[in-house]
Amino acid sequence: MEAVQATIQFAPSFTQPALNTLFPRVCLALHFTAVRIVISIDYLERSLRSRAMADGSRSKIIKANPIGKGLDTFRDSFEFQCRGLAITGADALYHISGDRLRNSLLDLILALLSLPASRSLPSEGSNINLFGDLSVLNTAVNSGNFDIERILPLLRAILNNEPDEVIWDKVYAAVAASTAFTVAKPTTPPLSAPSLASFQQTPWLHNTGSFANSTEHRKYVDGVLKEELGQLYVGVPGFFDAYFGSVPGLESVAQAVFDKCKEGDNPLYRDESGWQGWPKGAKERDVLSWFAPLTGQLLDFAAVNQPASKLRRRPLAQPHQPVQGSTADRKLDVGFVDDPSAGVDSKCRWSQILIPGELKSNPLADKASKAWLDLGRYAREVFAAQDSRRFVLGFTLCGSLMRLWEFDRLGGIASEQFDINKDGLQFVSAVLGFLWLNEEQLGFDPTIITAGDKRYIEIQRDNHTERLVIDSVVKRVPCVTGRATTCWRAHREGDDSRTSLVIKDSWQFPEREEEGELLREATDKDVVNVARYYHHETVCVGGQDDDIRRNVRRGLDITKATNYRPERPESSMPPPSKAGRHASRIGRSSSVAGRKRSSSCTGAPLPPTKRTCSSSPTKGGRATANRVHRRIIVCDYGKAIYKASSQTSLLAALEGCIEGYESLHTRAGMLQCDISPNNLMVNEEDDNPSWRAFLIDLDLAIKEQRENSSGARGKTGTRAFMAIGVLLDDEKHSFMHDLESFFWVLFWICIHHDGPRRERVVKRFDKWNYVDTEELAEIKKGIVGDERDFLKTVEGTFTPHYQPLIPYVNRLRREVFPDGRRWRDPNPKLYLSMKEILRAAQDDLRELAR
């Protein structure tokens, strides 16, 4: 009431005659509008206080009424239903239709209704309790009047055995969605979608390459890897011919070897019983003991028919010995290794593993949650350790059931399942094929040429061939699917100064504007402190643009996989064709392994506004998506900002990178969208002509004034450094988000790096790599919301080396989060404010050092 009275006192004042003569109704309307606004604000404040109290009582109710095994029956029923589809996880809902879909959702709601907590937890609306809210949701689902997208987070939480509080939070979210996002009946005017839908952003895809300072513990990595791999497609017709059909003489030699296996009184293979010595029960240890000697015998038989073949690899079976070269200990059941002398006691590295394999004694383990995921984990390690690997072949053997696999930057596909004891010829063909595939057939990039101890690539630039000699690997993102960026330091052959260049390969969605074009535009507009353009191209392998669907997967039709289900009715699209496959080639060229570019790989340049696409990452599903192998070369070389030699060097580099971002924004109209420690460079070499500090990686960059969606799949950026608004996905991407990311980069470095050479993993922050984006947003809000709490956090977590930066990091927090809250209005002055704080910090630290 005091607020109302205050508003009346401050309402526009008019004399009585004026009220009688000068727009009296307008004045009164303004007055009562002000009253209503204040009453609304007061009501909102009371509602928020009430909600905070409710959250506290809700937590007590949840602890007093644990879920326990109350949802186990639903989990078992749902997983059994999906087993026939060879699909696991909540996304299986997309592959169920009609009554089966409705019944699955109803079973879920009924399971929740049976839990005691549902009758004690408060209602989200006007019902007596949450039980009443769930009943409303039950009615909406039963009538088909509900969007299943809104229940997927809840289903995921239940299937993943998340903590009770997480599950109940998802229940409340689903209940809220039952009223806010109910699908309208045809007889009712359609409900308006929230304004944020106009941003055309889709859910962010979590990727194992986004981990920062992580232990990569398997229990955390596996969940992220499942999401990264998505649907793995099995039973793809023509798989064997696509990957093994080009091995010279394989078909005839395999037949001859198989015939030899069936000869004699004690043959290696009998049609009625299969392979001699096949272990009963197919226990892992016994299968390994059987596999290696048999491989040797097959090779001996093959040598008679193909004596010129050279054995360059052999099977390796060390299931209990970690393979060296990974962040966390990773063991490999079986595989083929690039070491003819490898034995039981050999210490092998992931860089030597050519073909990984996974063994399971149970034939029923041939599914996504078991053997397939294990093999995907091995594929990730192989990709990470082998910098020129375009794809990885492998195999699973579950009992006597075998599949052949291929993993690439879109996920994984597999052959039809076959029983090695019933189709012995197929088994012989696969083993010999794995042993005889050449490097290009194994997935290595033939455009990266090795001559003695030198590696190089060749490019066409200014009508001349240039050879760029690779000096070292700078970066290799450890993931299976995604952009999978790889960077090498290189120099021009014949350049006596050996001026550094950086070669960057990545796998892009064709819909995205090419990074090379964006870099060239930025360079042409004299953008400062951003890596400068030298060259870009689409890599060409086998006489055509190197993409996943046509080149890596040999045009195999994933929609013919035995477990394929359309992801969305609108996502269907024709199989790859040659029509319209070339992107704009203005100022570009393509690398061809060991030969000139063929006529099949050239095409008339297309206008920049008419770039063609082979798929739509936002409209089509993974089965119809594509990625293209692109290569750019820049003139600037540095080291990641967290390797800066001193505190002042780090702060100066951060200031320089903010200046570069501002220049990119104001001169070129671009937003970089992926501010992270590995994308901020510092140059401390006196003889290096590169910028002293600069931004790299415009892979995810967008034009600020773009008319359409960028082609990005939803939230963009590196997880730990994403702005709160990006994590919540409720705002259009702004330069303000990226400036917030600069804050999180400095915050993260001060916690995880104790100088340029010492880094650590902090358990409290390791989970930033794994929790869902909404939870991470809440964690971040909790850190910056209160100054006293923030100071307590940083004083307890900043390393000794960076403790002196605490006052300046806190000043940045005040600027980036005014009053401890997210920004609401864009503030171009924030550029200057942040740079002034960083400059003041440098001056103060230099003064202290005197």
Side-chain angles (χ1 to χ4, degrees), residues 239 242-244 246 353-356 379 382-383 386-394 405-413 434 437-446 476 480 507 541 546-548 551-554 629:
F239 183 98
Y243 290 102
F244 296 84
S246 59
I353 305 299
L354 299 179
I355 299 123
V382 173
F383 272 127
Q386 300 174 21
D387 63 329
S388 63
R389 203 71 184 261
R390 297 162 52 237
F391 61 88
V392 174
L393 296 176
W405 284 86
E406 183 270 339
F407 287 90
D408 53 45
R409 302 315 187 174
L410 281 178
I413 61 174
F434 281 138
L437 289 166
N438 63 36
E439 288 195 347
E440 183 174 344
Q441 292 165 335
L442 278 172
F444 289 94
D445 187 346
R476 174 77 163 175
V480 178
W507 294 82
V541 173
D546 193 23
D547 70 348
I548 299 295
N551 220 28
V552 171
R553 292 187 176 178
R554 316 290 201 263
H629 188 180

Side-chain angles (χ1 to χ4, degrees), residues 453-470:
D453 59 353
K454 181 169 70 174
R455 294 203 304 165
Y456 62 88
I457 66 168
E458 290 183 342
I459 62 172
Q460 295 295 320
R461 184 171 180 269
D462 298 332
N463 297 318
H464 296 288
T465 300
E466 288 187 15
R467 179 174 289 183
L468 304 184
V469 180
I470 295 174

Side-chain angles (χ1 to χ4, degrees), residues 240-269:
F240 186 85
D241 288 340
Y243 290 102
F244 296 84
S246 59
V247 178
L250 177 61
E251 183 177 1
S252 59
V253 173
Q255 183 64 61
V257 168
F258 184 57
D259 291 341
K260 184 72 175 176
C261 289
K262 296 196 290 184
E263 292 179 357
D265 296 332
N266 188 27
L268 282 176
Y269 184 89

Side-chain angles (χ1 to χ4, degrees), residues 94 101 141 326 350 432 512 665 784 798 829:
Y94 290 135
L101 171 60
V141 170
S326 56
W350 285 107
L432 294 180
R512 289 206 66 91
H665 179 208
V784 299
F798 275 24
K829 294 181 181 179

Side-chain angles (χ1 to χ4, degrees), residues 130 202 222 237 258 314 339 425 442 490 500 509 517 553 561 615 687 691 700 748 823 827:
L130 183 59
T202 52
D222 279 2
F258 184 57
R314 60 163 285 118
D339 181 2
L425 177 58
L442 278 172
S500 291
F509 288 122
E517 297 290 354
R553 292 187 176 178
S615 67
D687 58 348
W691 299 111
L700 298 179
W748 188 269
W823 64 273
N827 177 19

Side-chain angles (χ1 to χ4, degrees), residues 372-388:
W372 306 358
L373 178 63
D374 289 341
L375 189 64
R377 192 185 307 115
Y378 304 151
R380 176 178 182 261
E381 298 294 345
V382 173
F383 272 127
Q386 300 174 21
D387 63 329
S388 63

Side-chain angles (χ1 to χ4, degrees), residues 299-319:
L299 283 171
D300 290 342
F301 292 161
V304 176
N305 296 277
Q306 201 174 20
S309 66
K310 296 180 180 179
L311 177 62
R312 296 178 297 168
R313 62 194 70 128
R314 60 163 285 118
L316 179 73
Q318 296 178 338

Side-chain angles (χ1 to χ4, degrees), residues 12 14 16-31:
F14 297 96
Q16 189 62 36
L19 281 172
N20 292 333
T21 59
L22 182 63
F23 314 118
R25 293 182 181 177
V26 173
C27 296
L28 287 171
L30 288 170
H31 168 73

